[in-house]
Amino acid sequence: MSSFTPTTDLSDAHPDAQVLTPVFHDFGGRARFSGQAVALRVSENNPLVRSTLQTPGHGKVLVVDGGGSLNCALLGGNLGQFGVENGWEGVIVNGCVRDTAELRALNLGVRALAAHPRRSGKADEGEAHVAVSFAGVTIRPNDEVHVDEDGILVLPARN
């Protein structure tokens, strides 16, 4: 991430930008992050999250639509470490995370609805590289995601 434009400035410059409903909490070691979206849809099982974070992130943001489930965590310290090692800028989870002290110590942006101590299931299911809709917006593959202390803003992918 070379330079960062605040979400407030982006919102002013792009009145049509999508802004996620402000229900997400900061759990990562990096308060500001941005990059192209890689989106997943999972349901209380995180093997797809793990396998994606184990691939090169190239400065992208992993967007995980966990259906807003508050029953278990889809991301924890181990998976967060994979994200750092593989060059991901951050992870947004429409669901829960755990190992919050570990996540806070990582050079990775993490936003989620809540913390939960229970790990997810391990069924290898879900969808990758799909459009996901939650918190009042639709995020499509390669859309630009910008996150800072003022919120989460999405701009359409540049063609």
Side-chain angles (χ1 to χ4, degrees):
M1 181 168 64
S2 54
S3 67
F4 186 87
T5 304
T7 59
T8 52
D9 292 349
L10 289 169
S11 179
D12 292 349
H14 302 276
D16 58 341
Q18 298 186 89
V19 177
L20 277 71
T21 303
V23 295
F24 292 86
H25 301 280
D26 181 2
F27 293 100
R30 187 187 298 173
R32 298 175 172 198
F33 59 98
S34 64
Q36 288 184 309
V38 173
L40 310 177
R41 185 178 299 113
V42 300
S43 179
E44 299 186 2
N45 291 280
N46 74 353
L48 186 57
V49 177
R50 171 185 284 272
S51 64
T52 303
L53 289 171
Q54 289 177 316
T55 65
H58 304 293
K60 294 183 179 180
V61 174
L62 181 61
V63 178
V64 180
D65 183 3
S69 171
L70 301 178
N71 296 322
C72 65
L74 295 172
L75 177 78
N78 291 337
L79 299 193
Q81 184 61 43
F82 291 143
V84 171
E85 291 169 2
N86 289 297
W88 291 86
E89 285 292 310
V91 183
I92 298 169
V93 181
N94 183 29
C96 295
V97 298
R98 69 186 212 158
D99 304 323
T100 59
E102 292 175 39
L103 292 174
R104 179 80 53 214
L106 296 175
N107 185 21
L108 182 72
V110 178
R111 293 294 197 281
L113 296 176
H116 198 295
R118 181 170 290 130
R119 69 180 180 180
S120 77
K122 301 304 173 197
D124 192 12
E125 55 190 35
E127 298 173 89
H129 308 291
V130 294
V132 295
S133 297
F134 57 86
V137 306
T138 297
I139 302 171
R140 293 170 179 80
N142 300 318
D143 280 354
E144 293 179 29
V145 179
H146 301 269
V147 182
D148 66 14
E149 299 87 347
D150 290 314
I152 304 171
L153 181 138
V154 180
L155 296 172
R158 296 181 194 170
N159 293 329

